[in-house]
């Protein structure tokens, strides 16, 4: 996994894309444009008249967009900077906006307080480090502090076909790491309208529906799947991503830089025809203004539809789904089918629930999506099946009117979703400022005000061709624009070799089954993130723990009273005990059932000996501790009967080196009163997925 290295350079920047050509800090010309760009430090050279641009209108528009996102100049922000014209323009506007705050001040280094530029050095070329330092020096002249995040590729550089995708994922991982380390909860990205148009055509060629064609949201949240501490997960509010330049085009980026006498660099890989985005970019660059304008109108219509669908899904989740702290959910199918809900809304609703339960942020496509849709629309439901990493079945006792959704422990999972060990000693305070919650709330409130009525939503379903046809009939686009989009769409389909990409990805990243045999040793005081959902830990206290002695009133305090006389050493527990964590299996239930039937300490000793012939006879001194385990098993069975059988299989359990059950922390079962265990349901990615759109 990539590691971020923070260098105390006095700079800032956005995402380093791939290649930044080496250029002197003097006047230079772009290789493919007749345009001069002046470095701020070149005071001896005057800007030509064509480069003198009034950026006041851009600053005013920027301030309005930031207010729409709930942001104020005193808020702490990070900027993703690559050194290109887009990110440099964003730096110019951000620095001016922050300076408008009368309470704004500079730190000891003379930099604007609360503004950090993040430069990602992907390390894919020998000169990338020098280029990152050059960009860092340039943004420091604007009064913006920066840091350079250096990428580490432990499995080697990504293959050419996956280079852009892998670099993008790495960038956002670096962004999140730096934001967490600097207690910053807002990240500004320099995406603009031309980027949105490129994405529209790219997704059109992948046969995306209207939700995919809506493109990038103005504000959204991203959540890290690389958690470093339990405390961090408990406060995992995500990073708020804001794209304040989405209403501007590429030409505006050049004008802002020119009007502010800022130099920029052009990424030479942007000219490569190998990448679909580059081919689309060059096509759009040569298209007419009318074509680009109508394309933006079509994107805006798709974004309006996405806001409508998101609102419907939010209502359905609050009304029809019950989530438990044991990692499963129950969906009320009667509520879902009481009103007529469009297929596109129902499909996304199902995907949101399944992604949260499985903790896999993958799209659900094709036949699987149709199967799930038909299942949710069938009353009563009668069958059970596995899909998208989840097990779906009729909820017990519901007569098929409710559906149970729990994680499928036998489904293929990404390698990174196995057991990951975390240590108390690395736990740090990585919370974002309290104000971030208010910012996000304001952003969501603004988004809610933009949700259209159903009558304003003109096309919800259909393939790309039908969507374009509908837009043409509604007058959103002209016939020539429709024809040109379809031609570009068909051309990109020819270049898209989906089968090869899928095969390469599977072989490169690999999957493995989360089978019941998977386990990992866990030392005292360590934290294990089990299947990206439970944080499990154990320890051996010097005194009796009371977490499992006072919860069930029907035991009349017997469990608590008997535990006072127990000695953990007598039943074989110690700090050197080998403990493993795995998911619950059927023999665990049988073991508890047999254990609970032992009426005396002597019978229990015989029962435990018969269950594990490798155990030696314990001392008479252990009798009280063994009685404690029997009573704990009785209480555990009461709790387990309330949990659906399929959901039990997703619970973490602790076993010793011989596989003997020691504890089921989620239901407070344990063999020894001095054994302190916990399993807290804290999914890494919240409901809504790893990327939640607001506007």
């Amino acid at each position: 996994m990539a590691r971020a290295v923070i260098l105390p350079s006095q700079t800032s920047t956005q995402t380093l894309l791939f290649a930044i050509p080496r250029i002197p800090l003097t006047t230079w010309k772009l290789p493919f444009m007749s345009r001069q760009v002046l470095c701020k430090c070149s005071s001896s050279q005057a800007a030509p008249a064509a480069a003198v641009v009034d950026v006041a209108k851009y600053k005013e528009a920027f301030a309005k967009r930031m207010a729409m996102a709930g942001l104020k100049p005193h808020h702490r922000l990070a900027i993703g900077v690559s050194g290109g014209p887009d990110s440099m323009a964003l730096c110019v506007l951000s620095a001016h906006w922050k300076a408008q705050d009368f309470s704004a001040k500079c730190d000891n280094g003379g930099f604007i307080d609360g503004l950090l530029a993040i430069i990602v050095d992907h390390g894919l070329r020998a000169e990338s480090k020098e280029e990152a330092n050059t960009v860092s020096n340039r943004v420091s002249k604007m009064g913006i502090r920066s840091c350079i995040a250096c990428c580490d590729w432990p499995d080697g550089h990504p293959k050419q076909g996956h280079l852009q995708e892998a670099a993008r994922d790495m960038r956002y991982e670096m962004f999140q790491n730096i934001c967490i380390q600097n207690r910053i909860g807002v990240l500004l990205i320099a995406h603009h309208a031309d980027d949105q148009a490129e994405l529209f055509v790219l997704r059109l060629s992948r046969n995306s529906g209207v939700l995919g064609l809506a493109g990038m949201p103005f504000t959204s949240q991203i959540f890290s799947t690389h958690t470093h501490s339990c405390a961090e997960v408990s406060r995992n509010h995500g990073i708020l991503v804001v794209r304040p330049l989405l209403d501007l085009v590429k030409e505006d980026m050049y004008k802002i830089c020119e009007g502010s006498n800022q130099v920029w660099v052009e990424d030479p890989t942007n000219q490569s025809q190998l990448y679909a985005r580059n081919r689309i970019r060059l096509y759009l660059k040569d298209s007419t203004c009318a074509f680009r304008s109508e394309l933006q109108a079509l994107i805006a219509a798709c974004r309006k539809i996405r806001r409508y669908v998101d609102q419907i899904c939010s209502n359905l989740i609050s009304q029809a789904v019950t989530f438990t702290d044991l990692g499963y959910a129950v969906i009320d199918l009667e509520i879902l089918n009481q009103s007529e809900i469009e297929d596109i809304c129902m499909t996304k609703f199902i995907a949101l629930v399944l992604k949260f339960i499985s903790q896999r942020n993958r799209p659900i496509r094709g036949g699987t999506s149709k199967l799930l849709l038909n299942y949710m629309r069938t009353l009563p439901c009668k069958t059970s099946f596995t899909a998208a990493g989840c097990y779906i079945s009729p909820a017990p006792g519901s007569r098929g009117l409710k559906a149970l959704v729990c994680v499928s422990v036998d489904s293929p999972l990404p390698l990174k979703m196995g057991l990951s060990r975390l240590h108390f000693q690395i736990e740090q305070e990585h919370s974002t400022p309290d104000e971030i919650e208010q910012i996000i709330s304001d952003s969501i409130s603004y988004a809610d005000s933009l949700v259209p009525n159903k009558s304003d939503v003109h096309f919800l379903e259909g393939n790309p061709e039908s969507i374009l046809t509908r837009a043409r009939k509604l007058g959103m686009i002209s016939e020539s624009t429709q024809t040109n989009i379809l031609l570009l769409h068909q051309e990109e389909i020819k270049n898209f070799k989906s089968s090869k990409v899928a095969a390469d990805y599977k072989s490169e990243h690999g999957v493995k089954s989360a089978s019941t045999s998977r386990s990992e040793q866990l030392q005292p005081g360590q934290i294990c993130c089990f299947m990206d959902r439970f944080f499990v830990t154990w320890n051996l206290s010097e005194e009796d723990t009371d977490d499992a002695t006072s919860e069930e009133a029907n035991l009349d305090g017997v469990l608590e009273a008997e535990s006072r006389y127990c000695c953990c050493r007598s039943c074989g527990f110690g700090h050197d005990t080998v403990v493993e964590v795995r998911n619950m299996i059927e023999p665990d239930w049988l073991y508890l059932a047999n254990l609970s039937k032992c009426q005396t300490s002597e019978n229990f000793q015989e029962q435990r000996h018969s269950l594990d012939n490798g155990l030696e006879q314990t001392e008479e001194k252990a009798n009280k501790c063994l009685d404690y385990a029997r009573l704990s098993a009785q209480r555990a069975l009461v709790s387990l009967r309330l949990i659906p059988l399929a959901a039990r299989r997703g619970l973490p359990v602790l076993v010793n080196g011989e596989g003997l059950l020691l504890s089921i922390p989620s239901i407070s079962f344990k063999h020894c009163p001095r054994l302190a265990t916990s399993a807290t349901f804290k999914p890494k990615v919240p409901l809504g997925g790893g990327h939640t759109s607001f506007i």
Side-chain angles (χ1 to χ4, degrees), residues 303-313 342 345 451-454 457 460:
R303 292 176 66 184
K304 179 186 293 186
I305 294 171
R306 183 172 63 189
R307 287 195 291 269
Y308 169 79
V309 172
D310 286 347
Q311 184 65 39
I312 296 297
C313 290
E342 297 88 349
C345 299
V451 175
N453 296 321
K454 187 175 181 178
V457 178
L460 282 170

Side-chain angles (χ1 to χ4, degrees), residues 79-358:
I79 311 174
V81 184
S82 66
D86 310 343
S87 60
M88 296 303 288
L90 181 58
C91 286
V92 169
L93 298 177
S94 300
H96 178 270
W97 177 75
K98 290 282 288 185
Q100 299 307 300
D101 183 12
F102 290 109
S103 62
K105 57 182 180 299
C106 295
D107 57 22
N108 295 332
F111 298 104
I112 300 172
D113 191 32
L115 190 60
L116 176 69
I118 304 176
I119 306 167
V120 179
D121 175 10
H122 291 91
L124 299 177
R125 294 174 297 109
E127 61 271 24
S128 64
K129 181 177 181 180
E130 179 183 349
E131 293 165 352
N133 290 329
T134 299
V135 175
S136 179
N137 291 331
R138 287 171 181 167
V139 295
S140 69
K141 298 180 186 299
M142 301 185 205
I144 304 175
R145 180 180 296 278
S146 72
C147 65
I148 299 176
C150 300
C151 299
D152 179 24
W153 303 91
D155 298 325
H157 291 173
K159 296 179 180 179
Q160 188 70 18
H162 303 290
L163 184 62
Q164 287 190 329
E165 179 184 359
R168 179 192 178 279
D169 292 342
M170 181 68 76
R171 272 199 306 280
Y172 277 91
E173 182 182 337
M174 295 293 98
F175 287 157
Q176 293 181 74
N177 289 343
I178 301 302
C179 286
I180 289 172
Q181 292 169 11
N182 289 274
R183 296 172 58 82
I184 295 176
V186 180
L187 173 68
L188 304 184
I189 298 294
H191 289 134
H192 49 75
D194 289 0
D195 294 325
Q196 197 79 297
E198 293 167 15
L199 183 59
F200 177 91
V201 178
L202 182 65
R203 290 183 174 176
L204 198 72
S205 68
R206 274 44 168 177
N207 288 315
S208 292
V210 65
L211 299 183
L213 298 179
M216 296 172 287
F218 168 52
T219 62
S220 61
Q221 267 185 296
I222 54 176
F223 298 89
S224 175
T225 57
H226 303 279
T227 308
H228 302 292
S229 73
C230 183
E232 180 184 321
V233 170
S234 66
R235 294 184 295 272
N236 187 14
H237 302 297
I239 303 298
L240 179 65
V241 177
V242 180
R243 300 176 175 88
L245 307 182
L246 281 183
D247 286 346
L248 305 180
V249 297
K250 187 74 170 185
E251 187 66 21
D252 294 319
M253 305 298 109
Y254 291 123
K255 291 179 179 179
I256 293 170
C257 289
E258 290 174 347
S260 304
N261 291 329
Q262 294 298 331
V263 70
W264 69 85
V265 294
E266 295 287 348
D267 184 351
T269 61
N270 288 339
Q271 306 305 306
S272 173
Q273 296 292 306
L274 177 65
Y275 304 110
R277 272 189 175 274
N278 295 348
R279 296 191 297 268
I280 296 170
R281 182 180 299 121
L282 293 177
Y283 179 92
L284 294 175
K285 177 186 173 185
D286 296 332
S287 61
T288 64
C289 292
F291 175 84
R292 293 195 295 268
S293 177
E294 291 181 3
L295 187 57
Q296 292 298 331
L298 182 55
I299 295 172
C302 292
R303 292 176 66 184
K304 179 186 293 186
I305 294 171
R306 183 172 63 189
R307 287 195 291 269
Y308 169 79
V309 172
D310 286 347
Q311 184 65 39
I312 296 297
C313 290
S314 178
N315 293 337
L316 288 177
I317 288 174
S318 62
Q319 297 169 8
V321 187
T322 301
F323 295 98
T324 73
D325 58 1
L326 294 177
Y328 67 93
V330 176
I331 301 177
D332 193 319
L333 301 182
E334 284 188 299
I335 294 179
L336 287 186
N337 290 276
Q338 283 176 354
S339 58
E340 294 183 1
I341 301 173
E342 297 88 349
D343 285 354
I344 188 173
C345 299
M346 182 74 83
T347 298
K348 182 168 184 180
F349 158 77
I350 299 169
L352 291 174
V353 175
L354 266 61
K355 286 180 181 180
F356 176 70
I357 296 300
S358 68

Side-chain angles (χ1 to χ4, degrees), residues 481-499:
T481 295
Q482 178 186 4
T483 301
N484 289 334
I485 293 177
L486 285 174
L487 288 174
L488 184 57
H489 164 55
Q490 293 167 3
E491 182 65 25
E492 279 306 313
I493 286 180
K494 296 177 183 178
N495 295 316
F496 182 49
K497 301 177 180 179
S498 58
S499 59

Side-chain angles (χ1 to χ4, degrees), residues 285-577:
K285 177 186 173 185
D286 296 332
S287 61
T288 64
C289 292
F291 175 84
R292 293 195 295 268
S293 177
E294 291 181 3
L295 187 57
Q296 292 298 331
L298 182 55
I299 295 172
C302 292
R303 292 176 66 184
K304 179 186 293 186
I305 294 171
R306 183 172 63 189
R307 287 195 291 269
Y308 169 79
V309 172
D310 286 347
Q311 184 65 39
I312 296 297
C313 290
S314 178
N315 293 337
L316 288 177
I317 288 174
S318 62
Q319 297 169 8
V321 187
T322 301
F323 295 98
T324 73
D325 58 1
L326 294 177
Y328 67 93
V330 176
I331 301 177
D332 193 319
L333 301 182
E334 284 188 299
I335 294 179
L336 287 186
N337 290 276
Q338 283 176 354
S339 58
E340 294 183 1
I341 301 173
E342 297 88 349
D343 285 354
I344 188 173
C345 299
M346 182 74 83
T347 298
K348 182 168 184 180
F349 158 77
I350 299 169
L352 291 174
V353 175
L354 266 61
K355 286 180 181 180
F356 176 70
I357 296 300
S358 68
Q359 285 292 289
R360 302 196 307 180
N361 194 34
R362 298 180 185 175
I364 301 175
R365 305 184 187 277
T368 301
S369 182
K370 292 180 181 179
L371 174 65
L372 290 166
L373 182 62
N374 292 334
Y375 189 86
M376 296 298 167
R377 291 199 182 280
T378 302
L379 277 177
C381 62
K382 298 180 180 180
T383 60
S384 302
F385 62 99
T386 300
C390 293
Y391 178 79
I392 301 98
S393 66
S398 69
R399 295 176 297 176
L401 301 181
K402 295 182 179 180
L404 169 71
V405 182
C406 58
V407 66
S408 173
V409 296
D410 296 319
S411 64
L413 298 175
L415 286 172
K416 68 178 183 179
M417 294 193 68
L419 296 170
S420 57
R421 289 192 284 179
L422 309 170
H423 301 266
F424 281 117
Q425 53 266 36
I426 67 170
E427 187 171 314
Q428 300 178 18
E429 186 70 18
H430 283 168
S431 61
T432 58
D434 295 337
E435 64 191 13
I436 296 303
E437 291 188 20
Q438 184 60 48
I439 294 172
I440 293 174
S441 176
D442 292 342
S443 178
I444 294 176
S445 296
Y446 177 78
D448 290 342
S449 69
L450 300 177
V451 175
N453 296 321
K454 187 175 181 178
S455 58
D456 297 327
V457 178
H458 302 294
F459 45 88
L460 282 170
E461 307 288 351
N463 56 33
E465 288 83 356
S466 64
I467 291 174
L468 292 174
T469 300
R470 180 62 176 163
R472 169 73 181 91
K473 291 180 179 180
L474 292 171
M476 293 181 185
I477 58 176
S478 63
E479 183 177 355
S480 62
T481 295
Q482 178 186 4
T483 301
N484 289 334
I485 293 177
L486 285 174
L487 288 174
L488 184 57
H489 164 55
Q490 293 167 3
E491 182 65 25
E492 279 306 313
I493 286 180
K494 296 177 183 178
N495 295 316
F496 182 49
K497 301 177 180 179
S498 58
S499 59
K500 180 179 184 300
V501 171
D504 288 347
Y505 185 86
K506 184 174 181 180
S507 62
E508 179 180 351
H509 294 273
V511 295
K512 68 177 181 180
S513 175
S515 64
T516 56
S517 62
R518 183 183 64 183
S519 64
E520 184 169 313
Q521 291 187 6
L522 187 65
Q523 301 299 322
Q526 286 183 334
I527 305 175
C528 171
C529 184
F530 179 76
M531 295 183 68
D532 279 357
R533 64 192 59 248
F534 286 101
F535 273 67
V536 183
T537 186
W538 75 279
N539 221 322
L540 202 60
S541 63
E542 295 300 327
E543 298 180 357
D544 299 338
T545 60
D546 56 6
D547 61 317
T549 58
S550 58
E551 294 181 7
E552 293 293 331
N554 61 346
L555 291 181
D556 295 326
V558 175
L559 201 60
E560 181 178 6
E562 295 195 2
S563 69
R564 297 193 183 102
Y565 302 99
C566 300
C567 177
C568 61
R569 294 183 181 86
S570 63
C571 59
F573 286 104
H575 291 284
D576 57 347
T577 300

